[in-house]
Tab-separated table of all heavy atoms in Angstrom:
chain	number	residue	atom	x	y	z
A	1	ILE	N	48.894	85.866	94.539
A	1	ILE	CA	49.955	86.003	95.423
A	1	ILE	C	49.661	85.373	96.700
A	1	ILE	O	48.478	85.656	97.331
A	1	ILE	CB	50.214	87.602	95.649
A	1	ILE	CG1	50.726	88.221	94.473
A	1	ILE	CG2	51.281	87.768	96.794
A	1	ILE	CD1	51.102	89.756	94.573
A	2	ASN	N	50.521	84.582	97.280
A	2	ASN	CA	50.280	83.809	98.425
A	2	ASN	C	50.791	84.409	99.587
A	2	ASN	O	50.386	85.535	100.102
A	2	ASN	CB	50.712	82.309	98.153
A	2	ASN	CG	49.943	81.643	97.050
A	2	ASN	OD1	48.787	81.695	96.957
A	2	ASN	ND2	50.661	81.011	96.234
A	3	ASP	N	51.950	83.921	100.269
A	3	ASP	CA	52.631	84.562	101.345
A	3	ASP	C	53.296	85.867	100.983
A	3	ASP	O	53.929	85.948	99.838
A	3	ASP	CB	53.578	83.512	101.971
A	3	ASP	CG	52.876	82.345	102.769
A	3	ASP	OD1	51.687	82.443	102.754
A	3	ASP	OD2	53.617	81.546	103.144
A	4	MET	N	53.291	86.869	101.831
A	4	MET	CA	53.941	88.024	101.713
A	4	MET	C	54.784	88.193	102.908
A	4	MET	O	54.392	87.799	104.064
A	4	MET	CB	53.178	89.285	101.434
A	4	MET	CG	52.250	89.148	100.085
A	4	MET	SD	51.473	90.578	99.646
A	4	MET	CE	52.773	91.546	98.841
A	5	ALA	N	55.984	88.835	102.793
A	5	ALA	CA	56.820	88.975	103.981
A	5	ALA	C	57.703	90.186	104.004
A	5	ALA	O	57.881	90.730	102.906
A	5	ALA	CB	57.743	87.729	104.079
A	6	TRP	N	58.163	90.568	105.001
A	6	TRP	CA	59.248	91.481	105.213
A	6	TRP	C	60.493	90.936	105.787
A	6	TRP	O	60.524	90.241	106.794
A	6	TRP	CB	58.871	92.725	106.123
A	6	TRP	CG	57.734	93.634	105.536
A	6	TRP	CD1	56.564	93.604	105.594
A	6	TRP	CD2	58.071	94.795	104.531
A	6	TRP	NE1	55.977	94.565	104.940
A	6	TRP	CE2	56.811	95.220	104.295
A	6	TRP	CE3	59.333	95.219	104.032
A	6	TRP	CZ2	56.787	96.371	103.376
A	6	TRP	CZ3	59.083	96.378	103.171
A	6	TRP	CH2	57.926	96.938	102.785
A	7	TYR	N	61.603	91.099	105.103
A	7	TYR	CA	62.881	90.748	105.571
A	7	TYR	C	63.846	91.922	105.915
A	7	TYR	O	63.420	93.016	105.382
A	7	TYR	CB	63.711	89.825	104.548
A	7	TYR	CG	63.100	88.386	104.408
A	7	TYR	CD1	61.871	88.227	103.802
A	7	TYR	CD2	63.876	87.340	104.726
A	7	TYR	CE1	61.418	87.013	103.621
A	7	TYR	CE2	63.476	86.121	104.649
A	7	TYR	CZ	62.150	85.935	104.168
A	7	TYR	OH	61.705	84.591	103.876
A	8	ARG	N	64.890	91.690	106.499
A	8	ARG	CA	65.858	92.771	106.838
A	8	ARG	C	67.280	92.318	106.826
A	8	ARG	O	67.501	91.130	107.055
A	8	ARG	CB	65.663	93.623	108.124
A	8	ARG	CG	65.797	92.889	109.298
A	8	ARG	CD	65.423	93.741	110.473
A	8	ARG	NE	65.663	93.015	111.937
A	8	ARG	CZ	65.123	93.512	112.943
A	8	ARG	NH1	64.490	94.551	113.067
A	8	ARG	NH2	65.462	92.785	114.036
A	9	GLN	N	68.172	93.218	106.374
A	9	GLN	CA	69.586	92.791	106.446
A	9	GLN	C	70.454	93.983	106.849
A	9	GLN	O	70.405	95.095	106.245
A	9	GLN	CB	70.076	92.499	104.985
A	9	GLN	CG	71.434	91.862	104.923
A	9	GLN	CD	71.750	91.234	103.572
A	9	GLN	OE1	71.073	91.589	102.474
A	9	GLN	NE2	72.734	90.399	103.469
A	10	ALA	N	71.157	93.745	107.953
A	10	ALA	CA	72.018	94.810	108.499
A	10	ALA	C	73.498	94.475	107.942
A	10	ALA	O	73.825	93.381	107.470
A	10	ALA	CB	72.020	94.679	110.113
A	11	PRO	N	74.379	95.500	107.921
A	11	PRO	CA	75.689	95.296	107.397
A	11	PRO	C	76.373	94.153	108.105
A	11	PRO	O	76.471	94.164	109.354
A	11	PRO	CB	76.353	96.609	107.696
A	11	PRO	CG	75.364	97.665	107.705
A	11	PRO	CD	74.142	96.965	108.190
A	12	GLY	N	76.998	93.250	107.306
A	12	GLY	CA	77.781	92.167	107.868
A	12	GLY	C	76.887	90.982	108.364
A	12	GLY	O	77.294	89.972	108.765
A	13	ASN	N	75.575	91.057	108.321
A	13	ASN	CA	74.683	89.917	108.656
A	13	ASN	C	73.893	89.374	107.473
A	13	ASN	O	73.880	89.953	106.369
A	13	ASN	CB	73.523	90.620	109.592
A	13	ASN	CG	74.137	91.042	110.944
A	13	ASN	OD1	75.380	90.639	111.207
A	13	ASN	ND2	73.449	91.700	111.778
A	14	GLN	N	73.283	88.210	107.612
A	14	GLN	CA	72.458	87.598	106.676
A	14	GLN	C	71.110	88.202	106.666
A	14	GLN	O	70.679	88.764	107.707
A	14	GLN	CB	72.336	86.131	106.990
A	14	GLN	CG	73.627	85.374	106.964
A	14	GLN	CD	74.229	85.403	105.514
A	14	GLN	OE1	73.590	85.048	104.608
A	14	GLN	NE2	75.585	85.658	105.478
A	15	ARG	N	70.476	88.117	105.505
A	15	ARG	CA	69.064	88.569	105.445
A	15	ARG	C	68.279	87.614	106.273
A	15	ARG	O	68.238	86.471	106.302
A	15	ARG	CB	68.722	88.525	103.923
A	15	ARG	CG	67.291	89.253	103.732
A	15	ARG	CD	66.958	89.344	102.312
A	15	ARG	NE	67.948	90.206	101.597
A	15	ARG	CZ	67.878	90.496	100.226
A	15	ARG	NH1	66.861	90.093	99.510
A	15	ARG	NH2	68.779	91.215	99.750
A	16	GLU	N	67.345	88.255	107.145
A	16	GLU	CA	66.452	87.505	108.058
A	16	GLU	C	65.005	87.873	107.950
A	16	GLU	O	64.784	89.054	107.743
A	16	GLU	CB	67.055	87.706	109.439
A	16	GLU	CG	66.770	89.155	110.011
A	16	GLU	CD	67.290	89.316	111.385
A	16	GLU	OE1	67.709	88.346	111.995
A	16	GLU	OE2	67.187	90.490	111.937
A	17	PRO	N	64.153	86.946	108.056
A	17	PRO	CA	62.738	87.308	108.057
A	17	PRO	C	62.366	88.113	109.325
A	17	PRO	O	62.834	87.784	110.473
A	17	PRO	CB	62.067	85.949	108.040
A	17	PRO	CG	62.950	85.017	108.648
A	17	PRO	CD	64.435	85.492	108.257
A	18	VAL	N	61.569	89.147	109.145
A	18	VAL	CA	60.950	89.885	110.220
A	18	VAL	C	59.509	89.540	110.458
A	18	VAL	O	59.101	89.384	111.686
A	18	VAL	CB	61.079	91.377	109.909
A	18	VAL	CG1	60.392	92.305	110.898
A	18	VAL	CG2	62.552	91.784	109.591
A	19	ALA	N	58.705	89.455	109.433
A	19	ALA	CA	57.363	89.197	109.570
A	19	ALA	C	56.806	88.632	108.327
A	19	ALA	O	57.256	89.087	107.245
A	19	ALA	CB	56.577	90.461	109.979
A	20	THR	N	55.835	87.612	108.408
A	20	THR	CA	55.178	86.945	107.316
A	20	THR	C	53.698	86.998	107.439
A	20	THR	O	53.236	87.010	108.537
A	20	THR	CB	55.724	85.614	107.010
A	20	THR	OG1	55.320	84.712	108.192
A	20	THR	CG2	57.230	85.586	106.799
A	21	VAL	N	52.967	87.067	106.353
A	21	VAL	CA	51.491	87.013	106.499
A	21	VAL	C	50.956	86.162	105.243
A	21	VAL	O	51.349	86.281	104.218
A	21	VAL	CB	50.948	88.379	106.547
A	21	VAL	CG1	51.309	89.181	105.265
A	21	VAL	CG2	49.502	88.343	106.661
A	22	SER	N	50.134	85.215	105.636
A	22	SER	CA	49.435	84.426	104.544
A	22	SER	C	48.326	85.199	103.826
A	22	SER	O	47.985	86.290	104.333
A	22	SER	CB	48.970	83.102	105.189
A	22	SER	OG	47.814	83.311	105.992
A	23	ARG	N	47.886	84.658	102.782
A	23	ARG	CA	46.819	85.273	102.065
A	23	ARG	C	45.557	85.378	102.937
A	23	ARG	O	44.688	86.264	102.775
A	23	ARG	CB	46.405	84.440	100.903
A	23	ARG	CG	45.323	85.195	99.865
A	23	ARG	CD	45.257	84.502	98.586
A	23	ARG	NE	44.260	85.182	97.725
A	23	ARG	CZ	44.398	86.372	97.094
A	23	ARG	NH1	45.568	86.891	97.012
A	23	ARG	NH2	43.375	86.879	96.362
A	24	ALA	N	45.408	84.475	103.865
A	24	ALA	CA	44.242	84.445	104.876
A	24	ALA	C	44.459	85.425	105.907
A	24	ALA	O	43.515	85.494	106.787
A	24	ALA	CB	44.026	83.024	105.338
A	25	GLY	N	45.658	86.031	106.115
A	25	GLY	CA	45.779	86.995	107.075
A	25	GLY	C	46.616	86.447	108.287
A	25	GLY	O	46.774	87.176	109.371
A	26	LEU	N	47.029	85.238	108.312
A	26	LEU	CA	47.756	84.574	109.457
A	26	LEU	C	49.127	85.164	109.477
A	26	LEU	O	49.937	85.096	108.565
A	26	LEU	CB	47.680	83.134	109.470
A	26	LEU	CG	46.412	82.462	109.503
A	26	LEU	CD1	46.515	81.040	109.391
A	26	LEU	CD2	45.720	82.904	110.765
A	27	ALA	N	49.610	85.828	110.670
A	27	ALA	CA	50.860	86.559	110.677
A	27	ALA	C	51.833	85.749	111.557
A	27	ALA	O	51.513	85.113	112.613
A	27	ALA	CB	50.757	87.959	111.184
A	28	ASN	N	53.085	85.819	111.262
A	28	ASN	CA	54.205	85.340	112.154
A	28	ASN	C	55.265	86.449	112.196
A	28	ASN	O	55.478	87.060	111.245
A	28	ASN	CB	54.878	84.104	111.637
A	28	ASN	CG	54.041	82.808	111.780
A	28	ASN	OD1	53.527	82.637	112.689
A	28	ASN	ND2	53.789	82.143	110.628
A	29	TYR	N	55.847	86.527	113.358
A	29	TYR	CA	56.910	87.535	113.673
A	29	TYR	C	58.156	86.976	114.330
A	29	TYR	O	58.134	85.871	114.934
A	29	TYR	CB	56.363	88.607	114.648
A	29	TYR	CG	55.122	89.339	114.098
A	29	TYR	CD1	53.905	88.864	114.501
A	29	TYR	CD2	55.234	90.490	113.394
A	29	TYR	CE1	52.796	89.540	114.018
A	29	TYR	CE2	54.145	91.224	113.013
A	29	TYR	CZ	52.842	90.737	113.209
A	29	TYR	OH	51.748	91.309	112.829
A	30	ALA	N	59.249	87.658	113.996
A	30	ALA	CA	60.463	87.306	114.619
A	30	ALA	C	60.339	87.650	116.126
A	30	ALA	O	59.745	88.709	116.440
A	30	ALA	CB	61.572	87.983	113.970
A	31	ASP	N	61.093	86.876	116.932
A	31	ASP	CA	61.003	87.152	118.385
A	31	ASP	C	61.352	88.579	118.633
A	31	ASP	O	60.824	89.326	119.655
A	31	ASP	CB	61.774	86.208	119.213
A	31	ASP	CG	61.118	84.812	119.321
A	31	ASP	OD1	59.905	84.563	118.987
A	31	ASP	OD2	61.857	83.814	119.672
A	32	SER	N	62.368	89.074	118.009
A	32	SER	CA	62.918	90.442	118.280
A	32	SER	C	61.976	91.558	118.014
A	32	SER	O	62.216	92.644	118.535
A	32	SER	CB	64.224	90.508	117.459
A	32	SER	OG	63.956	90.432	116.145
A	33	VAL	N	60.935	91.340	117.241
A	33	VAL	CA	59.925	92.486	116.967
A	33	VAL	C	58.599	92.183	117.437
A	33	VAL	O	57.669	93.040	117.233
A	33	VAL	CB	59.962	92.627	115.334
A	33	VAL	CG1	61.303	92.820	114.888
A	33	VAL	CG2	59.184	91.561	114.689
A	34	LYS	N	58.288	91.022	118.097
A	34	LYS	CA	56.888	90.688	118.548
A	34	LYS	C	56.442	91.906	119.520
A	34	LYS	O	57.286	92.235	120.458
A	34	LYS	CB	56.871	89.385	119.248
A	34	LYS	CG	56.914	88.191	118.281
A	34	LYS	CD	56.832	86.855	118.998
A	34	LYS	CE	56.779	85.700	118.058
A	34	LYS	NZ	56.748	84.339	118.807
A	35	GLY	N	55.266	92.215	119.389
A	35	GLY	CA	54.712	93.348	120.215
A	35	GLY	C	55.023	94.856	119.716
A	35	GLY	O	54.503	95.730	120.280
A	36	ARG	N	55.923	94.813	118.881
A	36	ARG	CA	56.364	96.181	118.374
A	36	ARG	C	56.116	96.361	116.852
A	36	ARG	O	55.597	97.517	116.429
A	36	ARG	CB	57.872	96.405	118.495
A	36	ARG	CG	58.390	96.310	119.878
A	36	ARG	CD	59.845	96.739	120.060
A	36	ARG	NE	60.710	95.868	119.275
A	36	ARG	CZ	61.502	96.205	118.222
A	36	ARG	NH1	61.553	97.585	117.905
A	36	ARG	NH2	62.245	95.331	117.659
A	37	PHE	N	56.046	95.403	116.124
A	37	PHE	CA	55.747	95.397	114.586
A	37	PHE	C	54.510	94.699	114.290
A	37	PHE	O	54.130	93.732	114.917
A	37	PHE	CB	56.915	94.805	113.753
A	37	PHE	CG	58.257	95.496	113.829
A	37	PHE	CD1	58.533	96.563	114.615
A	37	PHE	CD2	59.224	95.026	112.954
A	37	PHE	CE1	59.797	97.131	114.648
A	37	PHE	CE2	60.389	95.599	112.992
A	37	PHE	CZ	60.762	96.780	113.762
A	38	THR	N	53.780	95.261	113.313
A	38	THR	CA	52.548	94.555	112.825
A	38	THR	C	52.520	94.547	111.332
A	38	THR	O	52.778	95.605	110.599
A	38	THR	CB	51.298	95.459	113.327
A	38	THR	OG1	51.348	95.528	114.732
A	38	THR	CG2	50.136	94.726	112.801
A	39	ILE	N	52.248	93.386	110.706
A	39	ILE	CA	52.296	93.342	109.345
A	39	ILE	C	50.782	93.126	108.980
A	39	ILE	O	49.863	92.418	109.616
A	39	ILE	CB	53.056	91.998	108.844
A	39	ILE	CG1	53.061	91.959	107.331
A	39	ILE	CG2	52.532	90.663	109.381
A	39	ILE	CD1	53.952	90.939	106.826
A	40	SER	N	50.486	93.775	107.783
A	40	SER	CA	49.106	93.684	107.295
A	40	SER	C	49.083	93.690	105.819
A	40	SER	O	50.244	94.099	105.232
A	40	SER	CB	48.219	94.881	107.870
A	40	SER	OG	48.831	96.107	107.344
A	41	ARG	N	48.041	93.157	105.084
A	41	ARG	CA	47.937	93.132	103.720
A	41	ARG	C	46.594	93.494	103.250
A	41	ARG	O	45.611	93.298	103.889
A	41	ARG	CB	48.452	91.790	103.122
A	41	ARG	CG	47.513	90.563	103.488
A	41	ARG	CD	48.106	89.304	102.999
A	41	ARG	NE	48.217	89.089	101.614
A	41	ARG	CZ	48.780	88.102	100.933
A	41	ARG	NH1	49.411	87.276	101.710
A	41	ARG	NH2	48.681	88.108	99.676
A	42	ASP	N	46.583	93.828	102.047
A	42	ASP	CA	45.226	94.203	101.339
A	42	ASP	C	45.377	93.353	100.075
A	42	ASP	O	46.020	93.655	99.103
A	42	ASP	CB	45.122	95.670	100.928
A	42	ASP	CG	43.695	95.990	100.392
A	42	ASP	OD1	43.133	95.201	99.630
A	42	ASP	OD2	43.214	97.137	100.677
A	43	ASN	N	44.585	92.167	99.992
A	43	ASN	CA	44.565	91.383	98.876
A	43	ASN	C	43.998	91.939	97.649
A	43	ASN	O	44.467	91.719	96.548
A	43	ASN	CB	43.910	90.048	99.185
A	43	ASN	CG	44.465	89.241	100.248
A	43	ASN	OD1	45.782	89.279	100.525
A	43	ASN	ND2	43.678	88.283	100.892
A	44	ALA	N	43.017	92.764	97.727
A	44	ALA	CA	42.441	93.436	96.531
A	44	ALA	C	43.452	94.371	95.949
A	44	ALA	O	43.426	94.629	94.697
A	44	ALA	CB	41.134	94.217	96.909
A	45	LYS	N	44.267	95.065	96.660
A	45	LYS	CA	45.158	96.045	96.124
A	45	LYS	C	46.655	95.455	96.027
A	45	LYS	O	47.565	96.122	95.503
A	45	LYS	CB	45.258	97.288	97.121
A	45	LYS	CG	43.914	98.102	97.180
A	45	LYS	CD	44.245	99.319	97.965
A	45	LYS	CE	42.865	100.053	98.112
A	45	LYS	NZ	43.038	101.248	99.093
A	46	ASN	N	46.851	94.233	96.368
A	46	ASN	CA	48.116	93.582	96.222
A	46	ASN	C	49.191	94.373	97.063
A	46	ASN	O	50.325	94.677	96.471
A	46	ASN	CB	48.462	93.297	94.890
A	46	ASN	CG	47.471	92.305	94.224
A	46	ASN	OD1	47.269	91.189	94.827
A	46	ASN	ND2	47.076	92.615	92.980
A	47	THR	N	48.806	94.738	98.185
A	47	THR	CA	49.857	95.529	98.994
A	47	THR	C	50.091	94.853	100.295
A	47	THR	O	49.338	94.178	100.874
A	47	THR	CB	49.499	97.023	99.316
A	47	THR	OG1	48.180	97.001	99.896
A	47	THR	CG2	49.229	97.702	97.928
């Protein structure tokens, strides 16, 4: 499993990326959630 991500979709809106994280742990966030949301992963548990 390579990149993992969280998306969200509100009624009437398109699905949009919220946060992504690479297998190496590098994370990117949408501007609207920076400083508030944190993405993390456990490669051994695939979560």
Side-chain angles (χ1 to χ4, degrees):
I1 294 179
N2 299 316
D3 289 354
M4 302 189 80
W6 288 95
Y7 286 68
R8 68 186 181 187
Q9 186 170 19
N13 292 348
Q14 297 295 313
R15 189 173 299 184
E16 63 178 4
V18 176
T20 62
V21 60
S22 71
R23 185 169 180 84
L26 300 178
N28 288 312
Y29 299 92
D31 288 342
S32 60
V33 307
K34 285 182 179 177
R36 300 189 297 120
F37 291 10
T38 302
I39 189 170
S40 60
R41 67 186 291 172
D42 187 328
N43 292 337
K45 296 181 178 180
N46 294 315
T47 59

